[in-house]
Amino acid sequence: MTIEAGQPLAGGQPTTVRQAGARRPLGELGLAALGRAGRAALLATGRQPVPDALEPLVRVHRAHHPQADLGLLARAYRLAEASHRGQKRKSGEPYITHPLAVTMILAQLGAGTTTLVASLLHDTVEDTELTLEQVGAGFGPEVAYLVDGVTKLEKVDFGAAAEAETFRKMLVATGDDVRVMVIKLADRLHNMRTIRHMKPASQVRIAKVTRDVLIPLAERLGIQVLKAELEDIVFATLHPEEHARTRALIAGHEAEPDALLEPFARRLARQLAEAGVAAEVTVRPRHCVSLHRVLLKRAAAPGPDGQPQRPQPADFGRLLVVVEENADCYAVLGELHTCWTPLPGEFKDFVAAPKFNLYQSLHTAVALEGEVVEVLVRTRRMHEVAQTGVVALGDPTPAGAAPDTDELDRTDPARPGWLSRLLEWQQETPDPDAFWSALTADLAGDREITVVTEAGETLQLRAGATCVDAAYLLGEQTGHRCIGARVNGRLTALSTALRDGDVLAVLTEAATAGGQPSGPSPQWLEYARTPAARLAIERWLADHPARLPVVRTGPSAGQPGQPGQSELLAPSAHRDARRGAGGRRAAPVAVAGRPGAAVRLARCCTPVPPDEVAGYPIRGGAVAVHRAGCPAGERMRADGRAVLEVRWRPQDAPAAGHRVTLRAEALNRPRLLADLTAAISAVGVGIVSAEVEPPQELRVRHTYTVELPEPAALPGLMRAMLKVSGVYDVSRPHAPEGGVGRPG
């Protein structure tokens, strides 16, 4: 659908051909008499005739809105014409031709009367002596709001920031009434149609702003007919040579008979008719930029001979199948995949899961005569929304009226989700340059993905967004408390880029009464792709200056008199109590056949009752005790060492308790070490040493050696450590199966 001024309407009233000299039936009037009678009837009822300049516009508007108030349109036109009288465009045409053309574009989209009235007046407040108060007094506050929303800010007041602040103002107004941006897009389309009258430097500047901001906004509002034409004009302005080559390819293809798509469309239509599916099958040609993108993919993928692939007939268009009901969409899909070979991975169901801009269709591709043909299937209503987006949804609910929507339906066409998110972060960016950079970056990705949380909530994110972005989309506090993520059932780094259809769980630390969350680390700024997440992280970091912790692992770094971490964690009195008389640790095990032998509990596996253990003789007549299955003990056995039978002697347990080593696997976050040591101390266990390995992919491993007051305290200690936010596994190094390896 290409919208042009004065485009004839399809499906108009049939014309009647009369033979020359035929008698006029009684009571029938000629055209001139009909015209005089119509004007007389209008004057008799006090209604003024519609100006001639509005006649094409009225015909188009009446086709969409038969009960439209034409008197209101006529008043708006007369006021606009009088206000702009004497003004000229750069093309030399009277200025009134511009609001008329913009309004015609909106009428062809099917916009309501209020939108058309505001469009006729959209430049009056900016370029004439008419004030916003006068517009409101004559046409009501709704029209005044729309006119104000698209009115540019003065460069005299804002200087170089005028353009950025104007877009900010429009976006804020769009948040309350999406028609503001619809009028702006139609205004830009007509300006782009006449861009050849601008200076070359102005053409490039305007085309780049259109490319970076207006086209993505048209995509997000679902107005594909505007987006496609804007893309083609920008392409011709910024890349005239490539545009000319692509246009030449299209012209050459159109000059030849279609031997692929048109015959396939007829075959598919016959097949659907035989299957009893009422459908309209047409070939949908690609516009210039769409074809150019296909050609770029062709050029980037070498063919069987190693040379870049040449364009194929199927590249120039796609088949569009329009049906009546949603169920018919899947019936068409069944016929397609039954009669032709579908390509794996090419099917996409946007009917069951609409895109962020309300777009709905089934997409598939089938093999046909050695080529790949794309097919779109949708209902008539879906097609209307796919073409004109939010305009097809009608005017927003008037203020004060209850919206007639399902409470479970979260789709708000007047305030789409992406717009709500944009409005949230723009308030935190007062600097115009920073706002403009963030806006263009946010709109740069012309594709969004849908992610579903494990709780069933649907999240719409820009393509390339990470787990960090998803966490902050769920709420700022959720983002601040995030300590990890699980994607499709597997733990993953917060830097992981999400894909369309991923199932996500954001792991958060437990909230405490009045307690502050751990908050993000500066590294998260490298992972955030959305402005909202970046601003929230930057705000947290600014409010919570970094406090560099002092981390000591093992003995002090050679400084006399300064204790190492083990000394900090275990008081000296506790250290003295760990040893018996003469400095030798008490032996809680007995070795069969070697009474009085010195016993050493292996540090690699730290056995405690009731672990199954084995003894191995070592130098000096001592016996090393390892847990069954310990790799070090198994190596000693393989080297020919004798295996000695040992048994626990609970009555001879050391006064200081049993030493055991535990390993905690966790998602790295601030204060994790402090929280783990606090959890260990809370169950009455003393810490001998702690080791923290460098994080890898945001995951970290903590190893603690502790002394248990009694062996039975081990399962409770492991459970307490596992409850710490971010910890997803607690184990004993070299723990054998069936032993005391994990918390019960």
Side-chain angles (χ1 to χ4, degrees):
M1 174 182 178
T2 302
I3 43 182
E4 301 175 356
Q7 175 180 332
L9 292 172
Q13 295 294 327
T15 56
T16 301
V17 180
R18 188 185 309 280
Q19 296 180 355
R23 291 177 57 85
R24 180 181 298 126
L26 185 64
E28 184 175 344
L29 298 177
L31 291 178
L34 278 173
R36 289 192 298 271
R39 284 193 291 272
L42 285 173
L43 292 174
T45 57
R47 294 175 56 188
Q48 296 183 353
V50 174
D52 292 342
L54 275 187
E55 287 292 348
L57 176 66
V58 166
R59 287 197 299 271
V60 174
H61 186 45
R62 271 287 175 85
H64 294 279
H65 302 277
Q67 304 301 320
D69 185 353
L70 301 184
L72 193 64
L73 276 177
R75 281 202 300 119
Y77 169 76
R78 291 190 181 94
L79 179 59
E81 194 278 330
S83 300
H84 290 295
R85 192 171 298 160
Q87 295 178 345
K88 299 284 186 180
R89 304 197 79 218
K90 291 188 180 296
S91 61
E93 297 175 307
Y95 196 89
I96 190 61
T97 59
H98 171 65
L100 264 178
V102 172
T103 309
M104 176 60 83
I105 292 171
L106 293 169
Q108 291 170 332
L109 290 175
T113 305
T114 302
T115 307
L116 302 192
V117 170
S119 173
L120 286 169
L121 301 170
H122 79 274
D123 274 339
T124 54
V125 174
E126 180 181 334
D127 295 333
T128 74
E129 298 298 323
L130 195 68
T131 66
L132 196 62
E133 289 73 17
Q134 290 172 319
V135 172
F139 298 92
E142 195 174 0
V143 171
Y145 184 86
L146 297 177
V147 172
D148 182 45
V150 296
T151 300
K152 296 177 184 176
L153 299 174
E154 294 291 342
K155 288 187 177 181
V156 175
D157 299 325
F158 291 87
E163 185 170 42
E165 291 301 323
T166 295
F167 271 102
R168 188 201 298 266
K169 171 174 171 278
M170 288 182 187
L171 287 168
V172 172
T174 302
D176 290 327
D177 196 325
V178 75
R179 291 175 293 180
V180 171
M181 191 55 64
V182 173
I183 295 173
K184 176 61 181 177
L185 289 169
D187 172 67
R188 179 54 60 96
L189 176 57
H190 184 249
N191 284 332
M192 292 298 291
R193 286 175 174 175
T194 58
I195 197 172
R196 63 186 180 278
H197 300 293
M198 305 288 291
K199 296 178 181 179
S202 297
Q203 290 185 31
V204 172
R205 178 184 62 81
I206 294 172
K208 287 183 176 179
V209 173
T210 304
R211 176 196 63 192
D212 296 340
V213 179
L214 273 304
I215 288 175
L217 286 172
E219 165 73 13
R220 280 157 173 75
L221 293 177
I223 313 177
Q224 293 297 325
V225 288
L226 290 186
K227 178 202 170 192
E229 188 173 354
L230 286 172
E231 281 184 330
D232 286 352
I233 299 174
V234 167
F235 185 35
T237 304
L238 299 180
H239 308 283
E241 295 180 358
E242 294 182 36
H243 177 266
R245 286 197 295 268
T246 308
R247 285 299 311 168
L249 284 173
I250 293 175
H253 175 74
E254 291 175 346
E256 299 176 357
D258 188 348
L260 181 72
L261 296 181
E262 288 288 355
F264 180 42
R266 290 192 291 270
R267 289 171 57 191
L268 178 57
R270 287 195 299 270
Q271 179 64 36
L272 295 177
E274 292 174 3
V277 181
E280 179 182 339
V281 184
T282 57
V283 175
R284 186 174 178 82
R286 291 187 183 273
H287 64 99
C288 195
V289 169
S290 178
L291 176 61
H292 182 66
R293 292 191 183 113
V294 173
L295 298 180
L296 289 178
K297 292 180 181 178
R298 286 274 187 196
D305 57 356
Q307 299 298 319
Q309 298 184 55
R310 298 179 60 83
Q312 302 298 320
D315 295 338
F316 290 87
R318 297 179 289 185
L319 254 63
L320 173 64
V321 183
V322 179
V323 296
E324 296 298 331
E325 303 292 340
N326 286 21
D328 294 338
C329 294
Y330 297 96
V332 172
L333 187 70
E335 293 297 323
L336 268 170
H337 289 186
T338 300
C339 300
W340 290 273
T341 304
L343 268 69
E346 294 296 325
F347 171 64
K348 296 178 182 177
D349 189 346
F350 296 119
V351 173
K355 295 177 70 174
F356 65 95
N357 58 2
L358 310 182
Y359 174 88
Q360 288 183 286
S361 284
L362 295 181
H363 288 209
T364 190
V366 296
L368 182 70
E369 300 176 8
E371 294 197 39
V372 176
V373 177
E374 297 181 43
V375 184
L376 312 179
V377 186
R378 59 180 70 140
T379 65
R380 295 188 185 280
R381 178 58 177 167
M382 292 175 192
H383 182 60
E384 185 181 0
V385 174
Q387 293 291 94
T388 60
V390 295
V391 181
L393 303 178
D395 291 347
T397 303
D404 185 18
T405 57
D406 187 349
E407 292 181 359
L408 299 178
D409 183 7
R410 299 183 180 181
T411 301
D412 181 4
R415 192 183 177 90
W418 62 266
L419 180 58
S420 299
R421 298 194 298 271
L422 188 151
L423 292 174
E424 289 173 2
W425 66 253
Q426 69 85 21
Q427 296 175 355
E428 306 296 332
T429 315
D431 180 66
D433 292 336
F435 164 74
W436 189 253
S437 299
L439 176 64
T440 54
D442 191 49
L443 296 175
D446 61 353
R447 189 173 64 88
E448 289 202 4
I449 60 174
T450 300
V451 175
V452 182
T453 68
E454 291 185 357
E457 184 174 358
T458 301
L459 305 179
Q460 300 289 349
L461 291 156
R462 57 171 293 184
T466 65
C467 298
V468 169
D469 299 305
Y472 279 97
L473 181 57
L474 289 169
E476 191 164 310
Q477 286 302 310
T478 301
H480 290 340
R481 295 186 182 278
C482 176
I483 55 176
R486 186 168 55 238
V487 177
N488 300 326
R490 300 184 63 182
L491 287 169
T492 188
L494 290 176
S495 58
T496 301
L498 297 168
R499 296 177 297 179
D500 197 36
D502 278 346
V503 178
L504 170 74
V506 174
L507 308 179
T508 58
E509 62 182 344
T512 57
Q516 283 286 334
S518 298
S521 69
Q523 193 178 17
W524 288 18
L525 289 172
E526 300 176 13
Y527 311 147
R529 299 289 180 269
T530 57
R534 291 187 60 85
L535 288 168
I537 295 169
E538 290 171 350
R539 187 164 52 247
W540 170 273
L541 296 176
D543 295 340
H544 301 79
R547 297 183 295 274
L548 298 178
V550 178
V551 178
R552 301 186 181 93
T553 56
S556 62
Q559 297 184 11
Q562 181 176 357
Q565 184 176 1
S566 60
E567 282 75 13
L568 288 173
L569 295 176
S572 58
H574 193 188
R575 291 199 307 273
D576 294 339
R578 289 202 303 256
R579 301 182 179 274
R584 177 179 295 178
R585 289 183 57 87
V589 295
V591 183
R594 295 194 181 190
V599 175
R600 296 180 182 176
L601 298 179
R603 294 185 178 181
C604 57
C605 57
T606 58
V608 295
D611 290 337
E612 183 181 349
V613 290
Y616 301 91
I618 57 176
R619 291 180 181 178
V623 176
V625 177
H626 290 261
R627 282 190 289 149
C630 173
E634 295 298 326
R635 284 195 298 270
M636 296 173 73
R637 183 197 300 266
D639 291 340
R641 299 282 182 97
V643 181
L644 305 176
E645 181 182 351
V646 296
R647 59 181 177 82
W648 293 105
R649 297 192 304 189
Q651 68 277 12
D652 293 331
H658 293 271
R659 182 175 294 191
V660 66
T661 299
L662 296 175
R663 178 175 295 159
E665 305 279 350
L667 299 164
N668 193 31
R669 63 173 176 83
R671 297 207 305 271
L672 178 62
L673 177 62
D675 291 347
L676 271 170
T677 55
I680 295 171
S681 300
V683 294
V685 175
I687 301 175
V688 177
S689 66
E691 179 184 357
V692 179
E693 299 180 14
Q696 294 184 354
E697 290 292 328
L698 295 182
R699 284 174 276 194
V700 68
R701 175 182 291 171
H702 288 208
T703 304
Y704 298 91
T705 300
V706 300
E707 284 193 338
L708 302 172
E710 57 181 0
L714 180 57
L717 170 62
M718 297 176 73
R719 283 193 294 268
M721 295 174 65
L722 197 56
K723 290 179 181 179
V724 174
S725 295
V727 177
Y728 58 84
D729 191 28
V730 176
S731 61
R732 297 173 61 193
H734 313 307
E737 292 184 5
V740 187
R742 296 181 185 273

